[in-house]
């Protein structure tokens, strides 16, 4: 039984993993995480910073605003949530 489970996981492939900063934790079991990536402009070759926000499922409500987190793609959990919290990389500095 475990062999077939491991084979199914291997054939499904790896899930997308990203790092970002929590910008909102106001929803119950929901975070909004901003992920920043860099890209090069096609014509002028300037390095640009692109930002995108993702709604993330946090079952234990453990991440807070300002924390650096790792998220992973998952099946649709609600209208907007397609990501789940993997771990908290760095806690936010308290003011």
């Amino acid at each position: 039984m475990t062999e077939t489970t491991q084979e199914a996981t291997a054939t499904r492939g790896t899930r997308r993993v990203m790092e970002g900063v929590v910008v909102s934790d106001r929803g119950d079991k929901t975070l909004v995480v901003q992920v920043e990536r860099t890209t090069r402009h096609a014509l002028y070759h300037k390095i640009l910073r692109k930002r995108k926000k993702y709604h993330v499922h946090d079952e234990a409500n453990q991440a807070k605003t300002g924390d650096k987190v790792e998220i992973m793609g998952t099946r649709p959990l609600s209208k907007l949530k397609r990501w789940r919290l993997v771990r908290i990389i760095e806690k936010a500095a308290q003011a």
Side-chain angles (χ1 to χ4, degrees), residues 41-55:
H41 191 277
L43 179 62
Y44 300 114
H45 307 294
K46 178 179 177 170
I47 302 296
L48 303 173
R49 288 187 299 180
K50 302 247 182 183
R51 296 178 187 93
K52 187 167 182 182
K53 293 180 182 177
Y54 296 96
H55 291 260

Side-chain angles (χ1 to χ4, degrees), residues 8-76:
T9 305
T11 57
R12 183 171 65 183
T14 59
R15 293 180 181 242
R16 191 164 175 201
V17 177
M18 294 188 287
E19 290 181 6
V21 177
V22 178
V23 293
S24 174
D25 63 346
R26 296 186 72 182
D28 184 32
K29 299 184 181 181
T30 302
L31 304 171
V32 179
V33 176
Q34 183 171 334
V35 176
E36 187 174 286
R37 66 183 179 90
T38 57
T39 184
R40 187 177 290 272
H41 191 277
L43 179 62
Y44 300 114
H45 307 294
K46 178 179 177 170
I47 302 296
L48 303 173
R49 288 187 299 180
K50 302 247 182 183
R51 296 178 187 93
K52 187 167 182 182
K53 293 180 182 177
Y54 296 96
H55 291 260
V56 178
H57 183 68
D58 180 10
E59 185 66 34
N61 284 325
Q62 57 189 357
K64 301 297 177 199
T65 303
D67 292 351
K68 187 173 182 181
V69 295
E70 184 177 47
I71 61 174
M72 176 184 289
T74 185
R75 65 182 174 82

